[in-house]
Amino acid sequence: MTLLEGSVGVEDLVLLEPLEQGPLLKNLQLRYEHKEIYTYIGNVLISVNPYQQLPIYGPEFIAKYQDYTFYELEPHIYALANVAYQSLRDRDRDQCILITGESGAGKTEASKLVMSYVAAVCGKGEQVNSVKEQLLQSNPVLEAFGNAKTIRNNNSSRFGKYMDIEFDFKGFPLGGVITNYLLEKSRVVKQLEGERNFHIFYQLLAGAEADLLKALKLERETRCYVYLNRKVSTVDGMDDASNFKAVQSAMAVIGFSEEEIQQVLEVTALVLKLGNVELAGEFQANGISASGICDGRGIQEIEEMMGLNSEELEKALCSRTMKTAKENVVTALNVIQAQYARDALAKNIYSRLFNWIVNRINESIKVGTGEKKKVMGVLDIYGFEILEDNSFEQFVINYCNEKLQQVFIQMTLKEEQEEYEREGIPWTKVDYFDNGVICNLIEHNQRGILAMLDEECLRPGVVNDTTFLAKLNHLFSKHTHYESKVTQNAQRQYDRTMGLSSFRICHYAGKVTYNVNGFIDKNNDLLFRDLSQVMWKARHPLLQSLFPEGDPKQASLKRPPTAGAQFKSSVAILMKNLYSKNPNYIRCIKPNEYQQRGQFSSELVAVQTRYLGLLENVRVRRAGYAYRQGYRPFLERYRLLSRSTWPCWNGGDREGVEKVVGELSLSSEELAFGKTKVFIRSPKAPMTELEFSRCPWSERTRQGDKGVCTTLAGEARLLGPPGPPFHPAALSAAVPPGGAAAPETAAAGHAHTEDLPGLALPLPLPADAEEPDRHLHLVSGQHAKETLWEDKGIGFADPGFRQRVEGNGEGRRGFLPTHGSFPHVVSPGLCQLLGRKSSRERILPTPGTSRDARARARLHVFLGLQARKNYRKYFRSGAALTLANFIYKSITRKFLLGLKDNLPSTNILDKTWPAAPYKCFHTANQELRQLFYRWKCKKFRDRLSLKQVENLREKLSASELFKDKKASYPQSVPIPFRGDYIGLQGNPKLQKLKGGAEGPVLVADTVKKVNRGNGKTSSRILLLTKRHVILTDTKKSQAKTVIGLDSVAGVSVTSFKDGLFSLHLNEISSVGSKGDFLLVSEHVIELLTKMYRAVLDATQKQLPVTVTEDFSLRFKESSVAVKVIQGPEGGRNGKLSCKKKGSRCLEVTV
């Protein structure tokens, strides 16, 4: 079964029979062999890389898919991009497009196609076109500096890119923001056999003019440079010279000045020249190994081009300065250490240059902060990688892919099934693999691999890759997804492929063995301070700006965050961003390992479909409902399609939806009503019918069905006898996609043509017909019914209608004007008058005869009389309605003009509103009142600064948590949240506390800690950061207790005016093993509000805040029941007393 006639295989795998791995692969292969590279799973798009250019893109196809709904045409990436854009524009829902797959599966090309489609359909205008061009031209620049040829892919993204494209309320692009993730900078100094360095190096050498190369002091031959793989200098199908011209042009379009472009190329050339600095071993006078530069020519050229001091650069490359409390100690580097320093400098220069380019692009395409924006995110990030030798780069790349797979699981499989349970829809659970356990293995804050790597990098003593591996083996010896030589030996397993310096993780995509050699160095990512200082002293503006830490005034002894910690933090922000948007998935598949067109490896594709979970996705889609919508928005959009709900509907939303969908004739298996949403199993036919019925006279010009349906709409109104008004829903049911309808349903919107004894329709005349013959040709009712569906003009009295239909495509014949305002029904009596036996006969008199002339005259007289007789009563009967409409419009106009002159003030606290003068305006008046109030609120919000907005959000959270629950809440409302109540900023001693916290301090306050054993209190300083709660002694500047926000299980607080609260911790946390905390704060409303928001930001989970006077405290192995009672002061004086009631009860009087 297919979606369209003549299609290849099954276009939507939800329809696949039987639903097994074998048929799924065969279907993908069949379509791939016929160059059908796209396939659906519901609204998920599968894309198989064709490794060739296919003639299915460009303006013609963009226009085609822009005019159709998702399922009306064959699967295409344009269809998915169109759905995402229309949902963003029309339904005001932020979108993200997640493009996932292995390296070489076509993710980068897919992202460019999505962006080109959105750019083509999102409006026109000088400013809009300028923004679109800048967004599109960012691609070639980032590809040049961030992509490279690998074994698996000739244009592999060696960095992650997430672009937020921002639109205004009309759907016009305003700009965007690009976020880049972990450039593979190790490629700058070393590539595997058969791979290349980043494209820009080869493009520069191949495409630069001779004068430019001379200015950059470069040779055109790639073999002259150590950092370029001399065996692979070109790529089939890639013209480096023309690509360099395209990059220069793109940078100019984005807004780079000529000076900036020149400086970027100079820094790029510097990286190449650093690789040619040859270092040799030497010995000092005391016999200690040292190093020096063999040939000073290369370092001299760098000095001339970048304004560097060659002597200082040589000293920084061959020695290292260590600062102590008393003096600076200079240590000579041996040749291996010096080469490491040189390569580290080259990698840092290139990585920082890439970050500068991304930031420079963002400056050009950024959007003003005051504009309201809709956002579409496009994620193009490195694919899952399994190489022969996998190192730190592959580890973090695969970690990122694990997180993306988790997003897919959470938002398509898990969330979908949980939604059915929430809505009360009968459901048979579909089993699937949840990779949360693998993500936790890598990213857990205390016991994850990244945490262990950071701990090993920071701890004193002997630290190397071997000690790191030993720690992992000890910690994960029994973890089901972790293996190493040690764990295999313990389980008496023998594996030749596992080395002594390796560990293996069972990822969702398969097992990957990682070599730990280099993990510590790559995670530290350190650059000697001497080199930073030399770079900062350069007289080259761009190079100097890349090394701000080289400025002695900004020198800091604080250790920078590790590469792993930075990447983990970036991924967490990315995941939060993705979860906040409506996802659209493109699952890219690589058909073979050799990048050959037409080759389809079933084994390779089977592996990818298995770890992408495509079969499980099909099962969930098939068992579930592909379309769901809340009752209220569904009813608001489609209620005009039912006579029961339009124009007024006073019932409930669900009952209204039932009325609308009841007219679709869906079976009970295709439709389900949840608690808050309507579910439709297969939306292709129903939703297409609803959307087309909703706007059958749309300006979209579609060949076939549009012209016919529009024609039928007009004909049905004019041809039918008196009856109920025409309804477009009945009409669309008569017109299937393609524009052809069965004759028996042609006039289903009002009356069947066989019910008419005769029908007068103007037919196209021959080109040589004479002027007197331009009259109405009569045809029988049966012939008229058939003629409706022919590809010919159908006459209509309305010139506007005639004009619209005449413009409906090429080759349509002209229309003749009708005589009069109505088509004419020919009775049997008239047929006898004209000398015809039956009204079923076609009346086409021969031109030129007197009999014909008389017949025409009699016909016109008769038709005029009959028309006046038949329609006079309708004119009279419609007079009252016309007058009523006029009166209603008059009082409506008076009401609106009066309202305009009596609008209340723009003060948001002023909620007064004029009453409606008539009862019929009551509903409209209330709607206008709400609109005006929302407008006032928007104006108020627009005047607020970002800090004021954040303060209001905190106050809103406090209201949701404590309003009508805690007695001290009303007093806190007018008091602004300060955050710092201990003078953290002005006290040098307390600055040490801030230094130990991660990120800014949200709350700094003095609290009292209640001893759970004896009830006594002691003062503590509490610091709340974005990730931790820190408790320290008021007299010492050292943290006594550090609690991760992910370890906080809940908070209990009383309903009185006191500041007592309990901090409940998870039992599995290291701090939680000691028990919960009982604290007292004078600013408990602010403290708990900010803690609630911080936990939500850090864990994406709501912190349970319980208002109660009876709660339990966990104390090591036992628990203590706490009962809070109100004293005479009611907790207003801030004092409390505690009494032990037995060993397991504590009574607190506030």
Side-chain angles (χ1 to χ4, degrees):
M1 183 179 179
T2 60
L3 294 179
L4 296 173
E5 295 297 328
S7 59
V8 178
V10 179
E11 294 180 342
D12 190 338
L13 294 179
V14 174
L15 307 175
L16 184 68
E17 288 290 351
L19 185 54
E20 297 171 358
Q21 181 82 352
L24 186 148
L25 293 175
K26 288 182 180 178
N27 187 69
L28 291 178
Q29 182 172 2
L30 175 65
R31 292 180 58 75
Y32 180 75
E33 290 171 349
H34 286 80
K35 298 183 180 179
E36 298 285 350
I37 62 172
Y38 297 117
T39 308
Y40 291 145
I41 300 178
N43 57 358
V44 175
L45 180 72
I46 301 173
S47 172
V48 185
N49 195 340
Y51 294 119
Q52 60 179 310
Q53 292 293 330
L54 297 179
I56 58 174
Y57 308 106
E60 178 185 350
F61 286 87
I62 289 174
K64 179 180 178 182
Y65 279 87
Q66 184 183 0
D67 283 334
Y68 284 80
T69 57
F70 190 69
Y71 294 106
E72 285 188 272
L73 295 176
E74 57 272 6
H76 202 289
I77 195 169
Y78 286 167
L80 182 132
N82 185 53
V83 166
Y85 175 70
Q86 288 187 349
S87 181
L88 174 136
R89 184 193 62 193
D90 300 336
R91 299 179 185 270
D92 203 20
R93 298 179 65 188
D94 287 352
Q95 304 289 312
C96 64
I97 297 178
L98 303 181
I99 308 172
T100 57
E102 281 192 16
S103 177
K107 300 184 298 300
T108 300
E109 289 302 314
S111 71
K112 289 193 287 188
L113 288 170
V114 169
M115 289 183 62
S116 65
Y117 179 86
V118 173
V121 303
C122 65
K124 296 179 180 179
E126 185 176 348
Q127 184 177 357
V128 171
N129 289 340
S130 173
V131 172
K132 289 194 293 187
E133 197 62 25
Q134 287 181 333
L135 291 171
L136 291 176
Q137 291 302 320
S138 66
N139 274 324
V141 176
L142 294 178
E143 279 189 27
F145 286 88
N147 287 26
K149 171 184 165 44
T150 65
I151 298 173
R152 299 185 170 197
N153 186 0
N154 287 343
N155 189 31
S156 177
S157 297
R158 307 318 299 163
F159 72 105
K161 180 182 72 173
Y162 177 74
M163 174 182 278
D164 266 337
I165 309 173
E166 300 175 345
F167 300 84
D168 63 10
F169 71 98
K170 297 176 290 187
F172 291 177
L174 298 170
V177 179
I178 299 172
T179 307
N180 61 300
Y181 301 93
L182 194 71
L183 180 75
E184 187 194 22
K185 55 187 177 184
S186 61
R187 179 172 296 273
V188 173
V189 300
K190 184 180 179 182
Q191 307 92 44
L192 297 177
E193 186 176 350
E195 297 191 348
R196 291 205 316 177
N197 210 321
F198 291 101
H199 292 326
I200 186 61
F201 296 117
Y202 305 92
Q203 293 173 358
L204 174 60
L205 298 181
E209 300 290 342
D211 293 343
L212 178 58
L213 284 179
K214 183 178 180 181
L216 298 177
K217 303 183 184 302
L218 294 175
E219 302 292 334
R220 196 170 293 279
E221 294 297 326
T222 58
R223 64 173 180 269
C224 298
Y225 301 98
V226 175
Y227 282 164
L228 302 186
N229 195 330
R230 299 173 185 181
K231 294 182 180 179
V232 184
S233 60
T234 59
V235 178
D236 293 340
M238 188 176 291
D239 187 343
D240 289 324
S242 63
N243 286 344
F244 180 70
K245 304 296 183 187
V247 170
Q248 287 181 303
S249 173
M251 294 176 79
V253 170
I254 293 170
F256 285 75
S257 66
E258 291 185 6
E259 184 180 2
E260 286 176 325
I261 296 173
Q262 180 68 21
Q263 290 177 6
V264 167
L265 297 178
E266 287 171 352
V267 175
T268 305
L270 169 62
V271 175
L272 286 178
K273 300 195 77 62
L274 273 176
N276 286 0
V277 174
E278 190 175 350
L279 297 160
E282 296 177 354
F283 288 96
Q284 293 180 328
N286 56 7
I288 297 176
S289 296
S291 58
I293 295 177
C294 298
D295 184 3
R297 181 187 168 193
I299 209 90
Q300 190 66 34
E301 289 181 346
I302 292 175
E303 178 183 21
E304 295 172 3
M305 184 171 66
M306 309 305 295
L308 287 166
N309 187 310
S310 58
E311 292 180 1
E312 290 183 356
L313 178 57
E314 181 175 2
K315 181 182 177 182
L317 287 173
C318 300
S319 64
R320 181 181 181 186
T321 303
M322 300 289 290
K323 287 189 177 183
T324 65
K326 298 181 180 180
E327 59 181 345
N328 293 339
V329 179
V330 180
T331 305
L333 303 178
N334 61 36
V335 66
I336 296 176
Q337 293 170 330
Q339 289 172 348
Y340 174 85
R342 178 200 62 194
D343 291 346
L345 177 61
K347 290 187 290 185
N348 268 273
I349 290 174
Y350 191 81
S351 176
R352 296 180 187 209
L353 173 65
F354 185 77
N355 291 335
W356 183 89
I357 291 172
V358 173
N359 292 332
R360 180 65 184 80
I361 294 173
N362 283 336
E363 284 181 18
S364 295
I365 64 176
K366 69 180 179 182
V367 182
T369 55
E371 298 185 63
K372 184 179 179 182
K373 298 163 286 190
K374 304 177 182 182
V375 179
M376 177 184 289
V378 181
L379 178 67
D380 173 22
I381 208 161
Y382 15 58
F384 194 88
E385 289 190 346
I386 306 177
L387 307 179
E388 291 184 9
D389 184 22
N390 301 286
S391 188
F392 178 75
E393 292 85 0
Q394 282 68 46
F395 175 73
V396 292
I397 285 173
N398 292 342
Y399 159 61
C400 181
N401 279 269
E402 284 285 356
K403 293 295 290 182
L404 290 175
Q405 177 68 6
Q406 190 178 38
V407 171
F408 181 77
I409 291 171
Q410 291 283 347
M411 300 183 80
T412 60
L413 303 178
K414 186 176 181 179
E415 188 175 300
E416 177 132 347
Q417 302 199 68
E418 288 177 352
E419 182 174 32
Y420 293 139
E421 294 177 5
R422 286 196 306 269
E423 293 287 330
I425 304 295
W427 175 258
T428 303
K429 190 172 182 180
V430 176
D431 294 328
Y432 58 89
F433 172 66
D434 189 345
N435 69 333
V437 61
I438 305 174
C439 295
N440 202 44
L441 167 68
I442 299 172
E443 68 179 3
H444 191 278
N445 287 337
Q446 281 86 32
R447 297 173 58 87
I449 294 177
L450 286 175
M452 294 301 102
L453 182 58
D454 283 353
E455 184 178 303
E456 200 67 10
C457 289
L458 298 174
R459 76 175 178 86
V462 178
V463 175
N464 53 42
D465 299 315
T466 304
T467 59
F468 165 61
L469 181 59
K471 180 172 284 190
L472 295 186
N473 291 336
H474 173 72
L475 195 61
F476 304 119
S477 58
K478 296 182 180 179
H479 200 289
T480 55
H481 290 81
Y482 176 88
E483 295 178 13
S484 70
K485 201 70 175 177
V486 173
T487 62
Q488 288 180 345
N489 290 341
Q491 298 174 8
R492 297 183 179 180
Q493 297 177 354
Y494 182 70
D495 186 356
R496 236 178 239 185
T497 61
M498 180 73 75
L500 291 173
S501 61
S502 302
F503 68 92
R504 181 178 294 156
I505 294 179
C506 302
H507 287 283
Y508 79 97
K511 295 183 178 182
V512 184
T513 303
Y514 298 101
N515 187 341
V516 296
N517 292 331
F519 262 60
I520 296 292
D521 286 340
K522 291 175 180 178
N523 190 50
N524 274 324
D525 194 26
L526 295 178
L527 182 68
F528 296 152
R529 187 176 290 108
D530 308 60
L531 292 169
S532 297
Q533 292 174 348
V534 171
M535 294 298 108
W536 182 81
K537 291 178 182 178
R539 293 189 296 274
H540 191 275
L542 176 55
L543 182 62
Q544 185 185 53
S545 69
L546 298 181
F547 293 88
E549 75 277 13
D551 185 354
K553 296 179 182 179
Q554 299 184 13
S556 172
L557 298 177
K558 185 178 179 181
R559 187 185 184 94
T562 62
Q566 291 182 65
F567 187 74
K568 178 184 172 184
S569 176
S570 299
V571 169
I573 295 171
L574 173 64
M575 296 302 115
K576 183 179 178 182
N577 203 343
L578 296 180
Y579 279 120
S580 68
K581 295 178 173 61
N582 182 58
N584 303 270
Y585 295 99
I586 302 176
R587 312 289 264 172
C588 296
I589 290 178
K590 181 170 60 175
N592 61 76
E593 291 280 14
Y594 311 106
Q595 304 177 41
Q596 295 295 318
R597 67 181 66 180
Q599 290 189 17
F600 189 94
S601 170
S602 297
E603 295 78 11
L604 179 63
V605 175
V607 172
Q608 295 173 78
T609 58
R610 192 177 301 114
Y611 72 66
L612 288 173
L614 298 187
L615 207 57
E616 290 81 0
N617 192 7
V618 175
R619 290 196 179 105
V620 171
R621 291 280 175 180
R622 194 161 171 172
Y625 298 84
Y627 175 87
R628 75 284 314 271
Q629 180 68 281
Y631 290 129
R632 171 60 62 87
F634 186 95
L635 184 61
E636 287 299 321
R637 186 168 183 82
Y638 299 114
R639 68 190 181 103
L640 78 163
L641 301 182
S642 172
R643 295 186 183 91
S644 303
T645 56
W646 182 263
C648 295
W649 173 250
N650 298 321
D653 293 337
R654 172 168 176 166
E655 291 76 11
V657 172
E658 289 175 351
K659 293 285 186 183
V660 173
V661 299
E663 300 183 11
L664 293 177
S665 302
L666 291 175
S667 65
S668 58
E669 292 146 3
E670 288 290 316
L671 186 67
F673 296 95
K675 296 176 182 176
T676 63
K677 295 180 181 179
V678 59
F679 293 79
I680 298 176
R681 190 177 299 278
S682 177
K684 293 182 280 293
M687 297 315 299
T688 301
E689 181 178 340
L690 284 171
E691 284 296 328
F692 183 60
S693 301
R694 187 172 175 272
C695 50
W697 305 284
S698 170
E699 293 180 2
R700 301 184 307 164
T701 55
R702 183 187 304 176
Q703 285 285 7
D705 58 338
K706 281 192 182 174
V708 173
C709 286
T710 308
T711 303
L712 287 175
E715 293 298 328
R717 280 199 298 269
L718 290 177
L719 293 180
F726 168 73
H727 203 271
L731 177 60
S732 64
V735 187
E744 61 269 12
T745 62
H750 201 83
H752 295 286
T753 50
E754 62 251 38
D755 297 332
L756 304 176
L759 187 65
L761 293 173
L763 299 178
L765 290 176
D768 57 350
E770 298 178 6
E771 186 63 31
D773 296 312
R774 296 192 174 276
H775 58 82
L776 288 176
H777 286 246
L778 296 180
V779 294
S780 68
Q782 179 64 31
H783 186 78
K785 182 175 66 177
E786 295 167 356
T787 307
L788 278 172
W789 301 102
E790 294 179 6
D791 189 18
K792 296 178 180 179
I794 299 179
F796 192 57
D798 177 12
F801 173 83
R802 168 184 166 188
Q803 213 170 22
R804 288 196 298 275
V805 181
E806 281 180 346
N808 240 4
E810 299 176 1
R812 189 175 292 279
R813 301 282 298 278
F815 287 72
L816 293 178
T818 60
H819 300 306
S821 300
F822 299 92
H824 310 286
V825 179
V826 184
S827 66
L830 176 60
C831 291
Q832 293 176 5
L833 176 67
L834 298 175
R836 290 290 180 262
K837 296 180 180 179
S838 170
S839 63
R840 296 292 182 180
E841 296 182 18
R842 184 169 179 172
I843 305 176
L844 294 173
T846 305
T849 64
S850 59
R851 179 185 175 191
D852 293 332
R854 289 195 301 272
R856 281 198 300 275
R858 289 196 296 267
L859 170 64
H860 291 170
V861 171
F862 181 84
L863 291 177
L865 291 171
Q866 189 181 44
R868 285 190 290 275
K869 178 181 177 182
N870 288 342
Y871 288 95
R872 186 179 294 119
K873 57 183 178 182
Y874 301 130
F875 294 138
R876 290 173 180 171
S877 63
L881 181 61
T882 303
L883 289 172
N885 284 337
F886 175 79
I887 294 171
Y888 180 76
K889 289 177 181 177
S890 298
I891 62 174
T892 301
R893 183 173 181 272
K894 182 179 178 181
F895 162 60
L896 293 175
L897 290 176
L899 188 61
K900 171 192 171 186
D901 297 332
N902 292 285
L903 288 175
S905 69
T906 55
N907 187 343
I908 59 171
L909 298 180
D910 182 6
K911 295 188 178 181
T912 60
W913 187 256
Y918 302 101
K919 189 176 180 181
C920 61
F921 293 145
H922 178 74
T923 303
N925 195 44
Q926 292 303 314
E927 292 284 346
L928 290 170
R929 179 180 184 177
Q930 291 182 10
L931 284 172
F932 183 74
Y933 185 71
R934 290 175 183 171
W935 175 80
K936 287 197 298 184
C937 292
K938 180 183 182 300
K939 287 292 183 183
F940 176 77
R941 288 196 305 269
D942 290 345
R943 293 195 299 268
L944 297 175
S945 66
L946 293 176
K947 186 176 181 180
Q948 289 174 317
V949 171
E950 185 62 25
N951 290 339
L952 285 176
R953 285 175 177 163
E954 290 175 349
K955 287 291 184 179
L956 177 61
S957 296
S959 173
E960 294 170 347
L961 292 173
F962 300 112
K963 186 179 180 181
D964 299 328
K965 297 178 183 178
K966 187 161 180 65
S968 60
Y969 168 73
Q971 299 172 353
S972 72
V973 172
I975 302 173
F977 290 165
R978 281 171 44 196
D980 183 7
Y981 294 95
I982 62 174
L984 185 65
Q985 300 298 328
N987 193 328
K989 293 182 179 180
L990 296 177
Q991 287 294 331
K992 297 180 180 179
L993 297 178
K994 185 181 178 183
E998 291 184 12
V1001 175
L1002 305 177
V1003 177
D1005 192 13
T1006 301
V1007 300
K1008 293 180 180 179
K1009 177 178 175 293
V1010 180
N1011 189 302
R1012 294 158 297 192
N1014 54 26
K1016 295 182 179 180
T1017 61
S1018 56
S1019 294
R1020 294 283 188 272
I1021 291 177
L1022 183 146
L1023 299 182
L1024 173 65
T1025 72
K1026 290 187 175 181
R1027 295 194 174 276
H1028 293 94
V1029 176
I1030 302 171
L1031 289 172
T1032 184
D1033 197 299
T1034 53
K1035 299 179 181 179
K1036 300 178 181 179
S1037 58
Q1038 293 181 350
K1040 293 191 68 174
T1041 308
V1042 179
I1043 306 168
L1045 292 183
D1046 56 348
S1047 301
V1048 180
V1051 174
S1052 296
V1053 63
T1054 73
S1055 62
F1056 306 134
K1057 291 188 177 182
D1058 62 295
L1060 182 71
F1061 68 97
S1062 171
L1063 210 58
H1064 304 290
L1065 306 182
N1066 293 324
E1067 295 183 26
I1068 60 171
S1069 66
S1070 57
V1071 180
S1073 61
K1074 300 177 182 179
D1076 301 334
F1077 287 85
L1078 191 60
L1079 305 169
V1080 183
S1081 171
E1082 294 182 2
H1083 312 98
V1084 66
I1085 299 293
E1086 177 180 355
L1087 175 59
L1088 296 186
T1089 298
K1090 291 190 175 182
M1091 187 181 298
Y1092 174 85
R1093 290 172 61 85
V1095 170
L1096 186 62
D1097 290 339
T1099 65
Q1100 284 79 52
K1101 296 179 182 178
Q1102 293 184 349
L1103 175 67
V1105 178
T1106 307
V1107 181
T1108 178
E1109 280 69 57
D1110 298 285
F1111 52 87
S1112 177
L1113 286 177
R1114 197 168 41 78
F1115 182 47
K1116 292 185 178 179
E1117 301 297 331
S1118 60
S1119 61
V1120 176
V1122 178
K1123 182 176 180 61
V1124 184
I1125 60 176
Q1126 189 170 355
E1129 298 294 328
R1132 287 188 295 272
N1133 58 5
K1135 296 181 180 180
L1136 57 84
S1137 61
C1138 303
K1139 293 182 182 179
K1140 289 292 296 273
K1141 299 283 187 177
S1143 61
R1144 300 211 172 171
C1145 185
L1146 181 66
E1147 184 178 276
V1148 182
T1149 303
V1150 298

